[in-house]
Amino acid sequence: MTGMTVFPFLYMVSASLMSFQEATGVPPAMLPAHARWSNFGEALHAAPFARYAANTVIVSGLSTVGTLATTILAAFALVRLRFRFKRLLTGMMVALLMVPYEILVFTNYRTIAQLGLLDTYAALILPSLASVFYILYLCQYLTAIPDTYYKAAIVNGCGDLEYIWRIMIPMSRSALFTMALLLFISGWNSFLWPILVTNTTDMRLVGNGLSAFVTESGTAVQLQMAASTIIVLPILILYAVFHRRIIEGVHVNGIKR
Protein backbone atom coordinates (compact mmCIF):
# COMPACT_ATOMS: atom_id res chain seq x y z
CA MET A 1 0.00 0.00 0.00
CA THR A 2 2.84 2.39 0.84
CA GLY A 3 4.51 1.61 -2.47
CA MET A 4 1.31 2.37 -4.39
CA THR A 5 1.02 5.69 -2.58
CA VAL A 6 4.63 6.76 -3.09
CA PHE A 7 5.06 5.52 -6.68
CA PRO A 8 3.23 8.42 -8.44
CA PHE A 9 5.42 10.95 -6.66
CA LEU A 10 8.62 9.02 -7.41
CA TYR A 11 7.67 8.72 -11.06
CA MET A 12 6.86 12.45 -11.19
CA VAL A 13 10.36 13.25 -9.93
CA SER A 14 11.92 10.75 -12.34
CA ALA A 15 9.96 12.08 -15.32
CA SER A 16 10.96 15.64 -14.43
CA LEU A 17 14.56 14.65 -15.20
CA MET A 18 13.81 12.90 -18.50
CA SER A 19 14.03 14.08 -22.07
CA PHE A 20 10.85 14.56 -24.09
CA GLN A 21 11.36 11.23 -25.87
CA GLU A 22 11.79 9.35 -22.58
CA ALA A 23 8.79 11.01 -20.91
CA THR A 24 6.45 10.23 -23.83
CA GLY A 25 7.87 6.87 -24.92
CA VAL A 26 5.87 3.63 -25.08
CA PRO A 27 6.44 1.71 -22.92
CA PRO A 28 7.29 4.56 -20.52
CA ALA A 29 10.79 4.77 -19.09
CA MET A 30 11.06 4.46 -15.32
CA LEU A 31 14.42 6.25 -14.97
CA PRO A 32 16.13 8.86 -17.14
CA ALA A 33 19.23 7.78 -19.06
CA HIS A 34 20.83 11.11 -18.13
CA ALA A 35 19.32 13.46 -15.56
CA ARG A 36 18.27 16.71 -17.24
CA TRP A 37 18.33 19.24 -14.38
CA SER A 38 17.82 21.96 -16.97
CA ASN A 39 14.12 20.97 -17.12
CA PHE A 40 13.54 22.84 -13.85
CA GLY A 41 15.14 25.99 -15.21
CA GLU A 42 13.10 25.76 -18.41
CA ALA A 43 9.88 25.30 -16.43
CA LEU A 44 10.63 28.31 -14.23
CA HIS A 45 11.46 30.36 -17.33
CA ALA A 46 8.30 29.29 -19.17
CA ALA A 47 5.93 30.48 -16.41
CA PRO A 48 6.29 32.89 -13.44
CA PHE A 49 6.22 30.18 -10.76
CA ALA A 50 8.17 32.43 -8.37
CA ARG A 51 5.28 34.92 -8.53
CA TYR A 52 2.75 32.12 -8.03
CA ALA A 53 4.66 30.84 -5.01
CA ALA A 54 4.93 34.34 -3.50
CA ASN A 55 1.17 34.86 -3.92
CA THR A 56 0.47 31.48 -2.33
CA VAL A 57 2.72 32.14 0.66
CA ILE A 58 1.08 35.53 1.25
CA VAL A 59 -2.47 34.20 0.93
CA SER A 60 -1.84 30.99 2.89
CA GLY A 61 0.10 32.80 5.62
CA LEU A 62 -2.46 35.56 6.19
CA SER A 63 -5.36 33.11 5.99
CA THR A 64 -3.68 30.87 8.56
CA VAL A 65 -3.03 33.73 10.99
CA GLY A 66 -6.56 35.10 10.56
CA THR A 67 -8.20 31.72 11.00
CA LEU A 68 -6.15 31.00 14.12
CA ALA A 69 -7.20 34.33 15.62
CA THR A 70 -10.93 33.84 14.97
CA THR A 71 -10.77 30.19 16.03
CA ILE A 72 -9.07 30.97 19.35
CA LEU A 73 -11.57 33.69 20.24
CA ALA A 74 -14.62 31.66 19.18
CA ALA A 75 -13.49 28.48 20.92
CA PHE A 76 -12.74 30.39 24.11
CA ALA A 77 -16.22 31.93 24.10
CA LEU A 78 -17.94 28.59 23.49
CA VAL A 79 -15.98 26.74 26.17
CA ARG A 80 -15.43 29.29 28.94
CA LEU A 81 -18.11 31.96 28.71
CA ARG A 82 -21.74 31.59 29.71
CA PHE A 83 -24.41 33.12 27.51
CA ARG A 84 -27.91 32.34 26.31
CA PHE A 85 -28.46 29.91 23.44
CA LYS A 86 -24.89 28.63 23.58
CA ARG A 87 -25.99 25.05 23.01
CA LEU A 88 -28.20 26.12 20.13
CA LEU A 89 -25.32 28.01 18.56
CA THR A 90 -23.01 25.02 18.93
CA GLY A 91 -25.62 22.76 17.38
CA MET A 92 -26.01 25.11 14.42
CA MET A 93 -22.25 25.12 13.90
CA VAL A 94 -22.21 21.33 13.89
CA ALA A 95 -25.03 21.38 11.32
CA LEU A 96 -22.99 23.72 9.13
CA LEU A 97 -20.36 21.01 8.78
CA MET A 98 -22.87 19.04 6.71
CA VAL A 99 -23.28 21.85 4.16
CA PRO A 100 -21.15 21.04 1.06
CA TYR A 101 -18.41 23.54 0.30
CA GLU A 102 -19.60 23.86 -3.31
CA ILE A 103 -22.90 25.37 -2.11
CA LEU A 104 -21.10 28.17 -0.28
CA VAL A 105 -18.72 28.96 -3.13
CA PHE A 106 -21.27 30.74 -5.31
CA THR A 107 -22.68 32.79 -2.43
CA ASN A 108 -19.17 33.85 -1.44
CA TYR A 109 -18.33 34.68 -5.05
CA ARG A 110 -21.39 36.88 -5.39
CA THR A 111 -20.50 38.73 -2.19
CA ILE A 112 -16.90 39.29 -3.27
CA ALA A 113 -18.03 40.46 -6.71
CA GLN A 114 -20.54 42.92 -5.24
CA LEU A 115 -17.80 44.35 -3.03
CA GLY A 116 -15.59 44.87 -6.09
CA LEU A 117 -12.80 42.70 -4.70
CA LEU A 118 -12.32 40.28 -7.58
CA ASP A 119 -8.71 39.65 -8.59
CA THR A 120 -7.31 40.96 -5.30
CA TYR A 121 -5.61 39.43 -2.27
CA ALA A 122 -8.69 40.32 -0.24
CA ALA A 123 -10.84 38.07 -2.43
CA LEU A 124 -8.45 35.19 -1.83
CA ILE A 125 -8.13 35.71 1.93
CA LEU A 126 -11.42 37.01 3.38
CA PRO A 127 -13.62 33.90 2.85
CA SER A 128 -11.07 31.71 4.64
CA LEU A 129 -10.68 33.77 7.81
CA ALA A 130 -12.98 31.52 9.84
CA SER A 131 -13.50 27.77 9.99
CA VAL A 132 -16.33 26.01 11.81
CA PHE A 133 -14.42 22.74 11.73
CA TYR A 134 -11.35 24.15 13.50
CA ILE A 135 -13.48 26.05 16.02
CA LEU A 136 -15.17 22.81 17.06
CA TYR A 137 -11.83 20.99 17.00
CA LEU A 138 -10.25 23.52 19.35
CA CYS A 139 -13.36 23.50 21.56
CA GLN A 140 -12.91 19.77 22.03
CA TYR A 141 -9.28 20.34 22.92
CA LEU A 142 -10.03 23.14 25.39
CA THR A 143 -12.62 21.12 27.29
CA ALA A 144 -9.76 18.94 28.57
CA ILE A 145 -8.16 21.97 30.25
CA PRO A 146 -9.59 22.22 33.79
CA ASP A 147 -11.90 25.18 34.35
CA THR A 148 -10.00 25.96 37.54
CA TYR A 149 -7.25 27.64 35.49
CA TYR A 150 -9.73 30.20 34.16
CA LYS A 151 -11.37 30.78 37.55
CA ALA A 152 -8.01 31.24 39.24
CA ALA A 153 -6.93 33.72 36.55
CA ILE A 154 -10.12 35.76 36.99
CA VAL A 155 -9.70 35.79 40.79
CA ASN A 156 -6.17 37.14 40.35
CA GLY A 157 -7.38 40.01 38.18
CA CYS A 158 -6.62 38.48 34.80
CA GLY A 159 -8.93 39.56 31.97
CA ASP A 160 -10.22 37.26 29.25
CA LEU A 161 -7.73 38.39 26.61
CA GLU A 162 -4.86 38.12 29.07
CA TYR A 163 -6.00 34.62 30.04
CA ILE A 164 -6.12 33.63 26.35
CA TRP A 165 -2.65 35.00 25.65
CA ARG A 166 -0.81 33.92 28.79
CA ILE A 167 -2.55 30.66 29.72
CA MET A 168 -4.84 29.20 27.07
CA ILE A 169 -2.58 29.59 24.03
CA PRO A 170 0.55 28.12 25.71
CA MET A 171 -1.47 25.16 27.00
CA SER A 172 -2.99 24.59 23.54
CA ARG A 173 0.17 25.06 21.48
CA SER A 174 0.16 21.46 20.21
CA ALA A 175 -3.34 21.78 18.76
CA LEU A 176 -2.67 25.28 17.44
CA PHE A 177 0.56 24.19 15.77
CA THR A 178 -1.26 21.33 14.07
CA MET A 179 -4.02 23.68 12.96
CA ALA A 180 -1.49 26.15 11.54
CA LEU A 181 0.26 23.47 9.51
CA LEU A 182 -2.95 21.99 8.14
CA LEU A 183 -4.36 25.43 7.32
CA PHE A 184 -1.19 26.44 5.47
CA ILE A 185 -1.11 23.17 3.52
CA SER A 186 -4.79 23.59 2.66
CA GLY A 187 -4.13 27.12 1.45
CA TRP A 188 -1.16 25.96 -0.63
CA ASN A 189 -3.30 23.26 -2.29
CA SER A 190 -6.40 25.43 -2.84
CA PHE A 191 -7.65 25.42 -6.42
CA LEU A 192 -11.39 26.03 -6.91
CA TRP A 193 -11.80 29.35 -5.08
CA PRO A 194 -8.64 31.04 -6.46
CA ILE A 195 -9.55 30.12 -10.04
CA LEU A 196 -12.99 31.73 -9.58
CA VAL A 197 -11.87 35.06 -8.14
CA THR A 198 -8.63 35.68 -10.07
CA ASN A 199 -8.44 36.80 -13.67
CA THR A 200 -4.83 37.87 -14.24
CA THR A 201 -1.58 35.93 -14.24
CA ASP A 202 -0.14 38.11 -11.47
CA MET A 203 -2.79 36.93 -8.99
CA ARG A 204 -2.57 33.19 -9.66
CA LEU A 205 -1.66 30.74 -6.92
CA VAL A 206 0.56 27.72 -7.52
CA GLY A 207 -2.31 25.29 -8.15
CA ASN A 208 -3.93 27.52 -10.77
CA GLY A 209 -0.55 28.43 -12.22
CA LEU A 210 0.33 24.77 -12.68
CA SER A 211 -3.05 24.05 -14.30
CA ALA A 212 -2.55 26.92 -16.74
CA PHE A 213 1.03 25.83 -17.44
CA VAL A 214 -0.09 22.29 -18.29
CA THR A 215 -2.47 23.75 -20.87
CA GLU A 216 -0.01 26.29 -22.25
CA SER A 217 3.00 23.96 -22.43
CA GLY A 218 1.19 21.49 -24.69
CA THR A 219 3.07 18.20 -25.03
CA ALA A 220 6.13 19.16 -22.96
CA VAL A 221 5.44 16.45 -20.40
CA GLN A 222 8.91 16.63 -18.86
CA LEU A 223 8.47 20.34 -18.12
CA GLN A 224 5.02 19.72 -16.65
CA MET A 225 6.51 17.10 -14.33
CA ALA A 226 9.33 19.48 -13.39
CA ALA A 227 6.84 22.23 -12.54
CA SER A 228 4.74 19.77 -10.51
CA THR A 229 7.82 18.70 -8.56
CA ILE A 230 8.73 22.32 -7.80
CA ILE A 231 5.23 22.98 -6.42
CA VAL A 232 4.78 19.74 -4.45
CA LEU A 233 8.25 19.55 -2.92
CA PRO A 234 7.87 22.40 -0.34
CA ILE A 235 4.73 20.82 1.13
CA LEU A 236 6.33 17.38 1.25
CA ILE A 237 9.35 18.82 3.07
CA LEU A 238 7.05 20.64 5.48
CA TYR A 239 5.11 17.46 6.21
CA ALA A 240 8.27 15.33 6.51
CA VAL A 241 9.70 17.73 9.10
CA PHE A 242 6.54 18.20 11.16
CA HIS A 243 4.47 15.03 10.57
CA ARG A 244 5.02 13.86 14.15
CA ARG A 245 3.73 17.16 15.48
CA ILE A 246 0.68 16.90 13.24
CA ILE A 247 -0.10 13.39 14.45
CA GLU A 248 0.48 14.43 18.05
CA GLY A 249 -1.88 17.38 17.70
CA VAL A 250 -4.59 15.19 16.20
CA HIS A 251 -4.34 12.33 18.72
CA VAL A 252 -3.59 14.19 21.93
CA ASN A 253 -6.89 15.59 23.18
CA GLY A 254 -6.07 18.20 25.80
CA ILE A 255 -3.32 18.27 28.40
CA LYS A 256 -1.98 15.30 30.29
CA ARG A 257 -3.35 14.89 33.75
Side-chain angles (χ1 to χ4, degrees), residues 59 101 124 187 190-199 203-205 208:
V59 172
Y101 171 73
L124 293 166
S190 60
F191 180 81
L192 178 59
W193 180 250
I195 205 171
L196 287 175
V197 298
T198 58
N199 302 316
M203 293 304 300
R204 285 176 179 168
L205 304 190
N208 313 120

CSV table of all heavy atoms in Angstrom, one decimal, residues 59 101 124 187 190-199 203-205 208:
chain,number,residue,atom,x,y,z
A,59,VAL,N,-1.1,34.6,0.7
A,59,VAL,CA,-2.5,34.2,0.9
A,59,VAL,C,-2.6,33.1,2.0
A,59,VAL,O,-3.4,33.3,3.0
A,59,VAL,CB,-3.1,33.7,-0.4
A,59,VAL,CG1,-4.5,33.2,-0.1
A,59,VAL,CG2,-3.2,34.9,-1.4
A,101,TYR,N,-19.2,22.3,0.6
A,101,TYR,CA,-18.4,23.5,0.3
A,101,TYR,C,-18.9,24.2,-1.0
A,101,TYR,O,-18.9,25.4,-1.1
A,101,TYR,CB,-16.9,23.2,0.2
A,101,TYR,CG,-16.1,24.3,-0.3
A,101,TYR,CD1,-15.8,25.4,0.5
A,101,TYR,CD2,-15.5,24.3,-1.6
A,101,TYR,CE1,-15.0,26.5,0.1
A,101,TYR,CE2,-14.7,25.3,-2.0
A,101,TYR,CZ,-14.5,26.4,-1.2
A,101,TYR,OH,-13.7,27.4,-1.7
A,124,LEU,N,-9.0,36.5,-2.1
A,124,LEU,CA,-8.5,35.2,-1.8
A,124,LEU,C,-8.4,34.9,-0.3
A,124,LEU,O,-8.4,33.7,0.1
A,124,LEU,CB,-7.0,35.1,-2.4
A,124,LEU,CG,-6.9,35.2,-3.9
A,124,LEU,CD1,-5.5,35.4,-4.3
A,124,LEU,CD2,-7.4,33.9,-4.5
A,187,GLY,N,-4.2,25.9,2.3
A,187,GLY,CA,-4.1,27.1,1.5
A,187,GLY,C,-3.2,26.9,0.3
A,187,GLY,O,-3.5,27.4,-0.8
A,190,SER,N,-5.1,24.9,-2.4
A,190,SER,CA,-6.4,25.4,-2.8
A,190,SER,C,-6.4,25.6,-4.4
A,190,SER,O,-5.4,26.1,-5.0
A,190,SER,CB,-6.7,26.7,-2.1
A,190,SER,OG,-5.8,27.7,-2.4
A,191,PHE,N,-7.6,25.3,-5.0
A,191,PHE,CA,-7.7,25.4,-6.4
A,191,PHE,C,-9.0,26.1,-6.9
A,191,PHE,O,-8.9,27.0,-7.6
A,191,PHE,CB,-7.5,24.0,-7.0
A,191,PHE,CG,-7.6,24.0,-8.5
A,191,PHE,CD1,-6.5,24.3,-9.3
A,191,PHE,CD2,-8.8,23.7,-9.2
A,191,PHE,CE1,-6.6,24.3,-10.7
A,191,PHE,CE2,-8.9,23.7,-10.6
A,191,PHE,CZ,-7.8,24.0,-11.3
A,192,LEU,N,-10.1,25.6,-6.4
A,192,LEU,CA,-11.4,26.0,-6.9
A,192,LEU,C,-11.6,27.5,-6.7
A,192,LEU,O,-12.0,28.3,-7.6
A,192,LEU,CB,-12.5,25.2,-6.3
A,192,LEU,CG,-13.9,25.6,-6.7
A,192,LEU,CD1,-14.1,25.5,-8.2
A,192,LEU,CD2,-15.0,24.7,-6.0
A,193,TRP,N,-11.5,28.0,-5.4
A,193,TRP,CA,-11.8,29.3,-5.1
A,193,TRP,C,-10.9,30.3,-5.8
A,193,TRP,O,-11.3,31.3,-6.4
A,193,TRP,CB,-11.8,29.6,-3.6
A,193,TRP,CG,-12.1,31.0,-3.2
A,193,TRP,CD1,-11.2,31.9,-2.6
A,193,TRP,CD2,-13.3,31.7,-3.3
A,193,TRP,NE1,-11.8,33.1,-2.4
A,193,TRP,CE2,-13.1,33.0,-2.8
A,193,TRP,CE3,-14.6,31.3,-3.7
A,193,TRP,CZ2,-14.1,33.9,-2.8
A,193,TRP,CZ3,-15.6,32.2,-3.7
A,193,TRP,CH2,-15.4,33.5,-3.2
A,194,PRO,N,-9.5,30.1,-5.8
A,194,PRO,CA,-8.6,31.0,-6.5
A,194,PRO,C,-8.9,31.2,-8.0
A,194,PRO,O,-8.8,32.2,-8.5
A,194,PRO,CB,-7.2,30.4,-6.2
A,194,PRO,CG,-7.4,29.7,-4.9
A,194,PRO,CD,-8.8,29.1,-5.0
A,195,ILE,N,-9.3,30.0,-8.6
A,195,ILE,CA,-9.5,30.1,-10.0
A,195,ILE,C,-10.8,30.9,-10.4
A,195,ILE,O,-11.0,31.4,-11.5
A,195,ILE,CB,-9.6,28.7,-10.7
A,195,ILE,CG1,-9.2,28.8,-12.1
A,195,ILE,CG2,-11.0,28.1,-10.5
A,195,ILE,CD1,-9.0,27.4,-12.8
A,196,LEU,N,-11.8,31.0,-9.4
A,196,LEU,CA,-13.0,31.7,-9.6
A,196,LEU,C,-12.8,33.2,-9.4
A,196,LEU,O,-13.4,34.0,-10.2
A,196,LEU,CB,-14.1,31.3,-8.6
A,196,LEU,CG,-14.7,29.9,-8.8
A,196,LEU,CD1,-15.6,29.5,-7.7
A,196,LEU,CD2,-15.4,29.9,-10.1
A,197,VAL,N,-12.0,33.6,-8.5
A,197,VAL,CA,-11.9,35.1,-8.1
A,197,VAL,C,-10.7,35.8,-8.7
A,197,VAL,O,-10.5,36.9,-8.5
A,197,VAL,CB,-11.9,35.3,-6.6
A,197,VAL,CG1,-13.2,34.8,-6.0
A,197,VAL,CG2,-10.7,34.6,-5.9
A,198,THR,N,-9.8,35.0,-9.5
A,198,THR,CA,-8.6,35.7,-10.1
A,198,THR,C,-8.8,35.6,-11.6
A,198,THR,O,-9.2,34.6,-12.1
A,198,THR,CB,-7.3,35.0,-9.6
A,198,THR,OG1,-7.3,33.6,-10.0
A,198,THR,CG2,-7.1,35.1,-8.1
A,199,ASN,N,-8.3,36.7,-12.2
A,199,ASN,CA,-8.4,36.8,-13.7
A,199,ASN,C,-7.1,37.0,-14.3
A,199,ASN,O,-6.9,36.7,-15.5
A,199,ASN,CB,-9.4,38.0,-14.1
A,199,ASN,CG,-10.8,37.8,-13.5
A,199,ASN,OD1,-11.3,36.7,-13.5
A,199,ASN,ND2,-11.3,38.9,-12.9
A,203,MET,N,-2.1,37.3,-10.2
A,203,MET,CA,-2.8,36.9,-9.0
A,203,MET,C,-3.0,35.4,-8.8
A,203,MET,O,-3.6,35.0,-7.9
A,203,MET,CB,-4.2,37.6,-8.9
A,203,MET,CG,-4.1,39.1,-8.8
A,203,MET,SD,-3.2,39.7,-7.3
A,203,MET,CE,-4.1,38.9,-6.0
A,204,ARG,N,-2.4,34.6,-9.7
A,204,ARG,CA,-2.6,33.2,-9.7
A,204,ARG,C,-1.8,32.6,-8.5
A,204,ARG,O,-0.7,33.1,-8.1
A,204,ARG,CB,-2.1,32.5,-10.9
A,204,ARG,CG,-3.0,32.7,-12.1
A,204,ARG,CD,-2.3,32.1,-13.4
A,204,ARG,NE,-3.1,32.2,-14.6
A,204,ARG,CZ,-2.7,31.9,-15.8
A,204,ARG,NH1,-1.5,31.6,-16.0
A,204,ARG,NH2,-3.6,32.0,-16.8
A,205,LEU,N,-2.4,31.5,-7.9
A,205,LEU,CA,-1.7,30.7,-6.9
A,205,LEU,C,-1.0,29.5,-7.6
A,205,LEU,O,-1.2,29.3,-8.8
A,205,LEU,CB,-2.6,30.3,-5.8
A,205,LEU,CG,-3.4,31.4,-5.1
A,205,LEU,CD1,-4.1,30.8,-3.9
A,205,LEU,CD2,-2.5,32.5,-4.7
A,208,ASN,N,-3.4,27.0,-9.5
A,208,ASN,CA,-3.9,27.5,-10.8
A,208,ASN,C,-2.8,27.8,-11.8
A,208,ASN,O,-3.0,27.6,-13.0
A,208,ASN,CB,-4.7,28.8,-10.5
A,208,ASN,CG,-5.6,28.7,-9.3
A,208,ASN,OD1,-5.5,29.4,-8.3
A,208,ASN,ND2,-6.5,27.7,-9.4
